Amino acid sequence: MTGRRRDACTVSVVVPVFNPGREIEPCIASLGRQSLSPSEHEVIFVDDGSTDGTAERLDALAAASPNTRVIHIPPSGAPGRPRNVGLDAARGRYVYFVDADDEIAPRALERLTAAADRYRSDVVLGKYASASLPRGQGLFSRDRGRMTLESNLGLLDSSLAANKLFRVEFLRGADIRFPEGWHLMEDQYVVLRAYFRARRISVLADQTYYYFRRREDGEHLSSRLLDPETDIDHLRSILDMVESETPPGPTRSRVLRRLYRAEILGRLAGEAYAELEPAYRHDLFVAASRVANERIDPAVDDELNAMVRLRSALLRRGSEVELLELARRTAAVQLSVRVRRAWWHHGQMRIVFQAHLEDARSGRPVTVSALRGRMVLDPRLTRGLIREEVHMEEELAAVRGNVLVRERDTAAEWVIPTRLSLALGGPRPGMEPHVRVPTVHGEAFVDPRRVGPSELPLDPGRWALRLRLSLLGIDQRTTISLEPGVPAPSPAVIGDPPLVVVPTTDEGFGLHVGRPGADARTGVSRDAPDRPSGASVTVALPIASDVGLRPLPAELLVRRASGLERWPAEARHRLGRLVLRWRPRSTAPGTVQLSARVAGLDDEVQIGRGRAMATGRIHLDAGAAGAKPTAMEASRWLASRTLDVGRHSYERGFRRAMPLARRVYEAMPRRLRSPLLSATRFLRR
């Protein structure tokens, strides 16, 4: 052990380490820039026998950092033992487990421990971003101070990784420790046991606290293929723990359903399963079929959606060939999204789109058939696999989804308010009369100034727009793209302090967010002198804006054959557009080409041709992009503004009521859910 000893602190960060190479550097950097003072937290690196120079790197770090310790242990083969060693050595009141190839936000330790103190929590979950694996984030719609697993079973739909803050006294008192040696799902074993025994669990959703990074070398323990029978034995140990910790009832049933859906059936689906080496795939199927029939009550299947129930039925029957063919067919199903219109409206980008599922091989949409009063799944997905019809009424009534904004570099993600409605379109050319095409119509409202439960502005960066949709029991995510021929919205400058938002179409439809003055390439000083006062000239720019925008420094660029003139100006909001104001100055008369530079925008904004007068006035030619908003535009803008205020108030109240409605829905008999969902969708329209 190296490093200095010191008194007890607030939180101990435990990092298990084994040959991470340079992948550990972002983790070290993120731990070094924490807002919590070094006297209030310690970092414990537990080196699991690294041989790549990491041990020496950490020893040097500990020698230079008073709050850093390194513990060297013989290789154990998995992170379980290093985490236990770190827990035993922890001096803090809380312990926070961080993987060596991940990062945490600068205020993560400060805010997580403050929440734990405020709510007296045994476990605190912070919102995460995942660039490595898909991880559900439905739990992070709002902060939750005091709850238990029984009061909010939605905890099971979030990641069960160990990246959580735990009260040390709680873990030690409950004798909660990680399985040692190679053990599949060792995180889930610990986290589930903690959930069962915790008196109080808290969730922080206001910002991103933990970043699961994608390693450049592609190495992750969770991606390794080991003996399927051993893996299933590990799952059995978790099932044993669940049954010992919970009595028969809703909680046990929900946990078993989650484990069965994600850890058994989830491994037998899609392209990943279809591309496994045949012998390994056969062994995995045999082991999974055995545990499904021996340990999972068939009643669990009743709460699964139709597609997952179909996989379960094939697994329980031992239909290995049929299950593989289903995996191949569903792997070819993709989500097709067409953005029909996108425009700025009072600082929000509104997006109107249509979406449906289609077979990537043929381009044909996935359909349902109206037969004998029932809606039956597209036979192309089920033909030759199962004799029974797969009915989809409940899945059609339970269409759900959201538009997301996802930062390209960090994978930070926020849910965007989205309205969805389902239409069963008639048959397309070449289809039978009873065939219907389920099509989702949607409208999303992207407000870069306010995202998430705390309504914070988007951080500067490149944000991709994505659609997450569950349709016909098939969950899909895809990047949103504009339909060919649909123009991209104009750039926008909105908010206070102002955000510069430039729509992009290079990798799908997205937003490049920045702040004025943050980019030296603008060529405009944030404190540009000689701003216009008194008599001035105003030209509207093809840039959206909204109320509350402070004046921005800008320049009018006057080009003529003799050279370039730069006139100081400022940009202001007026009726949804950015306008450029400058004070006329004496100049030579003649034809000029006008453009502008506005702080925060990389590119010049073209205005058009005009005629300069000796007085400094400039008359724009017809068709130049400088027309001022008309009185009719002003009246329409004010009317829509009034409607938007009322709509915003209604939607905020609706979102706050949704968590309670979700709990009522989960407790409701299954036969009543479909009518309730249909009625709710009708009322929201």
Side-chain angles (χ1 to χ4, degrees), residues 3 10 33 59 61 71 84 122 193 210 226 238 305 341 351 359 376-377 430 434 491 504 519 559 608 625 646 668 677:
T10 301
R33 55 176 176 257
D59 287 342
L61 178 66
I71 302 175
N84 289 336
D122 292 325
R193 174 161 280 178
Y210 193 97
L226 299 179
I238 295 181
N305 71 50
R341 187 183 175 202
I351 303 170
D359 189 324
V376 179
L377 180 63
H434 57 268
T504 61
D519 192 337
R559 287 185 171 88
M668 181 176 291
L677 287 171

Side-chain angles (χ1 to χ4, degrees), residues 111 141-143 205-207 414 449-457:
R111 295 181 65 85
S141 59
R142 62 182 178 89
D143 288 354
D206 59 324
Q207 60 182 303
W414 296 101
R449 302 162 300 179
R450 292 182 285 268
V451 295
S454 295
E455 298 190 337
L456 298 174

